[in-house]
Amino acid sequence: MNRKMVFNTVGMMLVAEAALLLLPTAVALIYGEACAWSLAASAGIALAAGLLLRLLFRPENRLIYAREGFVTVALAWLLLSAAGALPFFLSGEIPSYVDAFFETVSGFTTTGASILTNVESMSRGLLFWRSFTHWVGGMGVLVFVMAIVPGSNDRSMHILRAEMPGPVVGKLLPRAKDTASILYKIYVGLTLLQIVLMLLGGMPLYESVVHAFGTAGTGGFGVKADSIAGYSPYLQWVITVFMFLFGVNFNLYYLLLVRRFRAAVQSSEFWYYLGIVLVSVSLITINILPLYQSFSEALRLSAFQVSSIITTTGYATADFNLWPEFSKSLLLLLMMVGACAGSTGGGLKVSRAVMLIKTIGREIRHLLHPRSVNSVRFEGKQVDGATLKSVSSYFAIYMVCMVAVYMLLSLDAFDLETNLSATFACFNNIGPGLGAVGPTASYALYSPLSKIVLSLAMLMGRLEIFPLLLTLSPATWMKK
């Protein structure tokens, strides 16, 4: 274990976070808000802590292998969340540090679960920081730093693999730094395009930027208690479309940019993703049609909520807690499926879900015809045994962790629907659940212990379990 390199890199991340905190500080100063001092003080604390780590841990060997990549990512996200919670706590707008930590973890992991009961009373500077954490965490904090910091070497691919969601992360370009850079250029471009389209729809600049951050990071933090319900149908459709787009594997956008159209359209994961969305929208539209005045309204609300849930964004235009059981059950399943690998969305990922189903089909065929040779194909290629084993192992540990989180939550006096949906919503980085944590409610009533458990669940879901488990394992630190 190259401990010096791990802590040196984490120190660099804290320094980067200090720089990021200057943007919401400027927003608070523009609006003349008192929270500016808490944002500036937090930037100073993050800067001091980061410089101290870089001073104390000066690595002679700067190589990073897979184990160091996992540990670096997990520690960075934990410490960035701890420092990012300081503005809320120091300002007094979130008096409990546990609550502030929960809110910040929810932001960086792009979950969108909130303990706030009156979001509109928050200062604009802190609401900007709250949504900005979505945007930074969406593509990955360390991916962002790799894209802008000189000297990122090819070993940084181990960090990229540990932080980017999905079963497989490969290089778009030969160097990891170039891969990170092209990913962020696409990310920034789509974000700016959404801001422009929302401005054209009459949304104020501040709200356009905040909601673009929430959409791009598939996080779902907003500035109004009714989420997106109070905005025009045009703006709801814009956000619907962009939630869907940010749930697509960013490799496809790169292929389109370099005019490799044939390779892009051959992505089977995208077609599965599109098919799941279209079928779900159709079924829910039919199911909720009696509740609304017109087909167009039912279609818009259904499309928005399906796009929001499958991409794990968590925005809402309706209280789907009041929808029929069929629609709520379908949304619960979409929470687990999630978006595409290599996107900013959370969940199990479409690629894993498809490979799991195909693996089950292969086993059934093998039982019926023991001597037959059956293979699993995905993205036009035969999937090797190691990948299938990895997918199956991940699903098994995913279910074990979900059960553990649910059992710990059950110590609080909430009903099964609330605790189960809270587990699904936080572990899969969605945000709103059902029951007492529905789209019009919050997580404020949970105990401090449950909020810590849910915070860890959000981190495990965003980092896909293994980085956090490896970091918490004593055996990881004992090995040289």
Side-chain angles (χ1 to χ4, degrees):
M1 169 69 78
N2 189 350
R3 294 181 181 85
K4 288 187 177 180
M5 188 58 192
V6 168
F7 286 106
N8 187 274
T9 305
V10 171
M12 180 174 67
M13 302 305 160
L14 286 170
V15 172
E17 183 177 35
L20 294 174
L21 278 162
L22 297 180
L23 187 56
T25 303
V27 171
L29 290 172
I30 290 171
Y31 287 102
E33 294 174 328
C35 68
W37 77 268
S38 65
L39 287 159
S42 301
I45 293 170
L47 178 62
L51 291 176
L52 183 62
L53 284 175
R54 289 181 66 79
L55 182 65
L56 293 176
F57 298 95
R58 294 181 175 179
E60 298 84 17
N61 176 11
R62 303 190 69 84
L63 292 180
I64 294 179
Y65 295 94
R67 181 173 52 183
E68 284 84 358
F70 282 126
V71 173
T72 299
V73 166
L75 282 179
W77 280 70
L78 281 167
L79 292 178
L80 289 172
S81 297
L86 291 174
F88 300 111
F89 179 66
L90 294 177
S91 67
E93 294 195 32
I94 300 181
S96 165
Y97 182 77
V98 171
D99 285 356
F101 181 73
F102 178 95
E103 199 78 12
T104 308
V105 170
S106 181
F108 276 124
T109 59
T110 72
T111 304
S114 180
I115 52 82
L116 297 177
T117 55
N118 185 12
V119 67
E120 294 178 13
S121 67
M122 293 280 288
S123 57
R124 293 194 176 194
L126 288 179
L127 285 178
F128 185 92
W129 169 240
R130 182 171 171 260
S131 292
F132 190 41
T133 56
H134 276 339
W135 192 83
V136 174
M139 189 61 68
V141 184
L142 286 87
V143 176
F144 172 74
V145 173
M146 284 168 56
I148 63 173
V149 173
S152 299
N153 56 46
D154 196 51
R155 290 288 182 183
S156 299
M157 181 53 65
H158 292 298
I159 289 178
L160 185 64
R161 286 196 180 101
E163 189 174 42
M164 285 294 289
V168 179
V169 174
K171 300 178 184 180
L172 299 179
L173 298 171
R175 294 176 64 233
K177 177 179 171 60
D178 295 334
T179 298
S181 179
I182 191 67
L183 286 172
Y184 254 95
K185 286 176 181 176
I186 296 169
Y187 192 48
V188 170
L190 285 173
T191 305
L192 291 175
L193 178 59
Q194 184 185 350
I195 291 172
V196 170
L197 290 176
M198 289 195 294
L199 287 171
L200 292 174
M203 186 181 285
L205 177 61
Y206 172 82
E207 294 179 22
S208 295
V209 172
V210 167
H211 287 108
F213 285 162
T215 306
T218 61
F221 279 155
V223 296
K224 294 187 177 182
D226 64 356
S227 190
I228 309 298
Y231 293 104
S232 67
Y234 165 82
L235 290 171
Q236 291 179 12
W237 275 115
V238 168
I239 294 174
T240 299
V241 170
F242 276 88
M243 286 190 295
F244 175 84
L245 292 177
F246 281 108
V248 173
N249 191 323
F250 273 59
N251 285 15
L252 294 188
Y253 297 130
Y254 173 74
L255 292 174
L256 292 174
L257 284 175
V258 297
R259 300 181 180 230
R260 293 173 58 185
F261 301 117
R262 185 173 181 180
V265 298
Q266 287 178 340
S267 170
S268 54
E269 183 185 33
F270 171 77
W271 294 112
Y272 281 117
Y273 171 61
L274 178 62
I276 291 169
V277 169
L278 292 178
V279 169
S280 299
V281 169
S282 301
L283 292 174
I284 292 178
T285 300
I286 294 169
N287 191 229
I288 66 173
L289 188 56
L291 301 178
Y292 297 99
Q293 296 178 350
S294 65
F295 175 80
S296 61
E297 184 182 12
L299 176 64
R300 171 169 48 83
L301 296 176
S302 172
F304 186 97
Q305 215 54 65
V306 167
S307 187
S308 177
I309 294 297
I310 196 170
T311 61
T312 71
T313 305
Y315 280 137
T317 51
D319 185 0
F320 53 81
N321 236 347
L322 305 177
W323 286 1
E325 290 301 319
F326 175 80
S327 294
K328 290 195 292 183
S329 299
L330 187 52
L331 290 176
L332 197 65
L333 289 175
L334 293 177
M335 287 183 186
M336 180 181 286
V337 173
C340 298
S343 71
T344 61
L348 187 62
K349 304 295 180 298
V350 171
S351 53
R352 277 202 187 97
V354 171
M355 280 190 268
L356 281 169
I357 292 171
K358 288 192 172 188
T359 301
I360 293 170
R362 184 188 67 170
E363 293 304 312
I364 292 173
R365 289 193 301 272
H366 182 71
L367 288 172
L368 294 174
H369 307 285
R371 294 185 180 181
S372 65
V373 178
N374 298 298
S375 61
V376 173
R377 297 186 66 82
F378 188 72
E379 299 286 8
K381 302 175 184 176
Q382 182 174 323
V383 182
D384 60 81
T387 301
L388 291 177
K389 182 181 178 181
S390 173
V391 169
S392 299
S393 299
Y394 178 83
F395 182 69
I397 197 168
Y398 169 91
M399 293 305 298
V400 168
C401 291
M402 290 265 283
V403 169
V405 171
Y406 170 74
M407 292 305 295
L408 288 170
L409 285 191
S410 66
L411 295 173
D412 276 0
F414 289 104
D415 57 57
L416 185 145
E417 182 183 55
T418 296
N419 285 333
L420 187 62
S421 65
T423 302
F424 270 73
C426 287
F427 205 97
N428 294 298
N429 305 131
I430 287 121
L434 301 172
V437 292
T440 60
S442 76
Y443 288 74
L445 295 178
Y446 271 111
S447 67
L449 173 62
S450 291
K451 288 171 184 172
I452 292 171
V453 169
L454 289 172
S455 296
L456 292 176
M458 288 187 276
L459 285 167
M460 280 196 291
R462 173 59 180 84
L463 302 180
E464 303 211 317
I465 303 172
F466 293 109
L468 200 59
L469 288 186
L470 286 172
T471 302
L472 296 176
S473 171
T476 303
W477 297 95
M478 291 170 64
K479 293 179 182 179
K480 294 184 179 180

